[in-house]
Amino acid sequence: MKQAMIFAAGMGTRLKPLTDFMPKALVEVGGRPLLYHIVMKLKAAGFERIVVNVHHFADMIERYVEENDSFGMDIRFSDERDNLLDTGGGIRKALPLFDAGSPILIHNVDILSNVDLSAFYEMSNNNDATLLVSRRKTKRYLLFDDRMSLRGWTNVETGEVKMSKEYAAVDAGDLSMLAFSGIHVINPSALSSCLDEMPERFGVIDFYLKWCGKHDFKGFVKEDLNLLDVGKLDTVDRADRFLSDLYSIKNIN
């Protein structure tokens, strides 16, 4: 079974005042909510089951999906109304809603891209986790060795570096700095016990950094990545043009 999780529980504070009245997942770009674009991209890629975690205006998200008959898919909700669990805690809470024997593609609701999700999912099947990365400029980078195994994280603006304890002696300057896309695949059968050892609320990057010395978390570089993080008000207007360009390229091809 091809299955995916969409992170839609966040407060969307960078999109205020829009998110004072609706969840980030229902902010419209290209005439449709962000959630619609991600769900339909997953459906076109052959995914059968989607779990959406909900917290901020959770009822609105659930009603939107129900009114659209779940878009003809098996869409389930992981309810975080009482306690927002961050990305890592959100994955762990959602695990019982998935088929334990199949990998899970994780996708932020506010990420638009030209990624072939089916191809990325299939090539990630044999890894404990695979993180889609690129060489785009940002403030925060994941650090990989020459085998594309995750070893650490850095913020180039503050100079902060985090390394897994097993590789604390490695010079971060000897590693490749790559930007995370917000799209990754995890193998729940390999990682469920590690997830159980984490605190109630935790970020998935903290999880990856804690366990990358014991599990081989791979990075996959998409050289032609075209990605837009619709996380701020100025990107909402840009998203209309971004989607128009993506659809035009698909029609040409």
Side-chain angles (χ1 to χ4, degrees):
M1 173 183 290
K2 293 174 74 171
Q3 52 187 3
M5 180 173 184
I6 300 175
F7 284 146
M11 299 296 291
T13 53
R14 295 182 299 160
L15 281 172
K16 283 178 171 290
L18 295 177
T19 48
D20 288 336
F21 308 99
M22 68 176 72
K24 176 169 59 175
L26 296 187
V27 171
E28 290 196 359
V29 296
R32 299 275 195 170
L34 284 166
L35 182 62
Y36 170 87
H37 293 292
I38 306 306
V39 168
M40 297 310 291
K41 186 176 177 71
L42 288 165
K43 183 175 182 178
F47 284 79
E48 304 163 68
R49 178 178 298 170
I50 298 175
V51 174
V52 182
N53 70 338
V54 293
H55 172 80
H56 186 55
F57 290 112
D59 292 350
M60 292 180 66
I61 295 175
E62 292 177 344
R63 184 164 59 251
Y64 172 72
V65 172
E66 290 163 2
E67 287 175 350
N68 286 277
D69 297 320
S70 297
F71 302 96
M73 302 178 70
D74 176 6
I75 298 183
R76 307 174 178 196
F77 299 102
S78 181
D79 192 341
E80 296 182 31
R81 283 177 175 85
D82 295 335
N83 190 12
L84 190 58
L85 298 172
D86 206 340
T87 50
I91 291 172
R92 181 174 59 195
K93 181 177 175 62
L95 285 182
L97 300 172
F98 288 106
D99 172 13
S102 299
I104 304 166
L105 184 140
I106 313 293
H107 201 300
N108 290 357
V109 76
D110 55 2
I111 294 295
L112 303 175
S113 77
N114 64 338
V115 177
D116 182 333
L117 296 180
S118 180
F120 177 61
Y121 183 82
E122 295 300 334
M123 63 81 57
S124 303
N125 276 349
N126 294 325
N127 300 332
D128 291 344
T130 308
L131 292 76
L132 186 72
V133 294
S134 70
R135 304 185 198 281
R136 65 188 173 90
K137 290 186 177 180
T138 185
K139 297 176 183 178
R140 293 174 291 274
Y141 292 93
L142 296 175
L143 302 175
F144 295 88
D145 65 18
D146 56 6
R147 296 178 53 252
M148 285 304 295
S149 296
L150 180 65
R151 294 294 176 249
W153 171 96
T154 186
N155 183 322
V156 295
E157 187 172 75
T158 65
E160 182 182 6
V161 176
K162 296 180 182 178
M163 300 289 290
S164 65
K165 63 181 181 179
E166 290 83 0
Y167 295 89
V170 174
D171 186 343
D174 294 332
L175 301 172
S176 297
M177 297 194 309
L178 296 163
F180 182 43
S181 68
I183 302 171
H184 43 133
V185 174
I186 67 166
N187 186 334
S189 62
L191 299 179
S192 59
S193 62
C194 301
L195 286 164
D196 287 342
E197 294 189 31
M198 299 297 289
E200 181 181 19
R201 187 179 190 275
F202 62 97
V204 71
I205 295 299
D206 291 333
F207 170 78
Y208 285 144
L209 294 176
K210 178 179 176 64
W211 294 101
C212 65
K214 295 185 170 65
H215 288 272
D216 197 10
F217 300 146
K218 292 293 189 181
F220 175 77
V221 180
K222 181 169 176 57
E223 299 291 358
D224 64 340
L225 179 64
N226 193 3
L227 179 146
L228 180 66
D229 179 351
V230 192
K232 298 180 181 178
L233 285 175
D234 64 339
T235 57
V236 173
D237 291 335
R238 288 169 52 200
D240 292 343
R241 185 168 62 255
F242 183 90
L243 285 169
S244 178
D245 290 345
L246 279 185
Y247 294 144
S248 296
I249 291 171
K250 286 180 181 178
N251 289 335
I252 291 172
N253 293 337

